[in-house]
Amino acid sequence: MSTPSETHKRKTPTGKLYAIADIHVAFAYNQEAWAGLSPHPGDGLILCGDIGETVEHLRLAFSTATRCFDTVWWCPGNHELYTLPTGSSADFRGEEKYQQCVEVARSYDVLTPEDDFVVWGGQGGPTVIAPIFTLYDYTFKPDDVAVENAVAWAKEQNIEATDEFLLHPDPYSSRQEWCSELVKKFEAKLEAAQAQFPSLPFVIANHWPLRKDLATLKFIPRFVIWCGTALTEDWHRRFNARAVISGHLHIRRTDWKDGCRFEEVSLGYPRQWKHCAEMGLEVNDLLREVLPGPEPPENGEAPVQWRRYG
């Protein structure tokens, strides 16, 4: 029997680059939708986190993605990092769970944050594709709330992330400490890539938004503390990003800041994109084109575009 890497060999894309996040294939509805992914010969795809919770979910998603796209990138979301009480990942916590996911991705020749950044030579290139992993540190909070009180502040409105029970920071003492180390690691990696490719723009892909002002949650505003870190606020400027891709919010939107395009590319839970399905849209219609993408607005800024239908 052939191994996944023998069956799915990565090619160098010459076409377009797409992205999608939060496909949550643990849900049968989403799993069936993902199985309908169409072939995209010559194109690339970024899977921007929250594929699922288990090794089996990753294998299902990667096998389909690599059949349909020439090159696939992946960065982890919080759901990939969950430790469930039973199953293939029951004994894996924190950094070890992340590394388990990385190994599964590599078995399908999927590029991860642990691999060298690749220069995109397809449409819209050359551009450095930089998948990263930063987690969160509760600094997406009001100024008058101390970081150590942020979770209690959220609980005042009965908001508490499942992460508090299933996402363990081992071997670090806290999620904040793990986030701090990840930020240092990927800051250094981005700096090194910028020194190597000083004239090239970047596409940065991270499950969590890089900026607090892009984490707008109308119905559960205090969930924002689990949505990123203030330490990445200026990374789009520092690292010459032409686009920043994220998920996590389950609210598709496009923003322009300082000439950089920010794309939230979530699919979401079945109930959250059911209205799209009812209009005849499928997962193929909800893939977001990253490159070549549109030209920036004249002054580099534009009102938010809420992309309810993709």
Side-chain angles (χ1 to χ4, degrees):
M1 180 181 292
S2 61
T3 64
S5 60
E6 290 171 340
T7 306
H8 310 287
K9 290 303 291 183
R10 187 171 73 243
K11 302 176 185 176
T12 301
T14 57
K16 295 182 178 181
L17 177 64
Y18 294 89
I20 193 167
D22 300 80
I23 62 173
H24 291 289
V25 297
F27 291 89
Y29 186 85
N30 282 20
Q31 190 174 128
E32 182 179 353
W34 189 246
L37 190 67
S38 297
H40 277 256
D43 294 338
L45 178 67
I46 298 172
L47 293 171
C48 212
D50 277 10
I51 303 306
E53 295 77 23
T54 68
V55 165
E56 291 73 24
H57 295 153
L58 291 177
R59 287 176 178 155
L60 186 153
F62 293 152
S63 63
T64 299
T66 52
R67 279 199 306 269
C68 294
F69 286 85
D70 284 9
T71 296
V72 177
W73 288 261
W74 164 82
C75 49
N78 51 311
H79 279 251
E80 281 94 334
L81 304 175
Y82 284 178
T83 299
L84 302 182
T86 61
S88 56
S89 301
D91 297 325
F92 293 80
R93 294 166 62 102
E95 177 70 25
E96 192 176 22
K97 177 67 189 292
Y98 169 55
Q99 291 299 333
Q100 183 189 45
C101 295
V102 168
E103 291 307 310
V104 174
R106 286 174 169 170
S107 76
Y108 286 89
D109 220 4
V110 170
L111 292 166
T112 79
E114 301 307 306
D115 297 305
D116 292 339
F117 294 156
V118 171
V119 175
W120 173 263
Q123 295 181 32
T127 301
V128 178
I129 310 301
I132 64 172
F133 168 34
T134 62
L135 206 56
Y136 53 83
D137 59 3
Y138 309 115
T139 53
F140 280 10
K141 59 169 187 60
D143 292 340
D144 61 350
V145 174
V147 170
E148 57 269 23
N149 297 330
V151 173
W153 169 77
K155 284 183 179 179
E156 289 174 0
Q157 293 191 353
N158 296 317
I159 302 297
E160 186 171 19
T162 304
D163 295 18
E164 296 297 312
F165 307 97
L166 296 182
L167 199 165
H168 305 287
D170 306 36
Y172 302 98
S173 63
S174 66
R175 297 174 194 85
Q176 298 98 308
E177 183 185 354
W178 192 8
C179 173
S180 176
E181 292 302 312
L182 289 167
V183 167
K184 292 175 187 175
K185 172 181 175 177
F186 285 101
E187 184 176 39
K189 187 169 183 177
L190 287 163
E191 288 173 346
Q194 191 171 49
Q196 184 179 2
F197 306 108
S199 64
L200 297 187
F202 282 56
V203 167
I204 300 175
N206 187 48
H207 180 67
W208 294 270
L210 296 189
R211 294 170 58 105
K212 179 186 174 186
D213 60 348
L214 303 182
T216 304
L217 300 163
K218 180 179 179 181
F219 298 108
I220 48 170
R222 297 196 182 192
F223 189 82
V224 71
I225 63 170
W226 290 281
C227 292
T229 169
L231 296 171
T232 59
E233 175 82 12
D234 65 348
W235 280 19
H236 67 292
R237 291 192 300 268
R238 286 183 57 193
F239 301 114
N240 190 26
R242 63 184 295 183
V244 174
I245 315 303
S246 65
H248 192 58
L249 305 181
H250 295 196
I251 303 171
R252 291 180 292 278
R253 60 185 285 178
T254 300
D255 294 83
W256 289 92
K257 303 287 183 182
D258 306 307
C260 176
R261 177 166 45 101
F262 290 80
E263 298 276 19
E264 209 281 1
V265 299
S266 297
L267 179 67
Y269 301 132
R271 61 181 170 78
Q272 294 171 321
W273 69 282
K274 187 172 181 286
H275 55 278
C276 294
E278 290 170 345
M279 293 185 63
L281 301 175
E282 55 183 20
V283 70
N284 295 290
D285 301 302
L286 298 178
L287 298 175
R288 186 64 175 169
E289 181 183 313
V290 177
L291 294 175
E295 292 296 317
E298 187 172 341
N299 66 354
E301 305 279 336
V304 60
Q305 177 191 358
W306 301 101
R307 303 193 328 275
R308 179 174 173 83
Y309 298 105

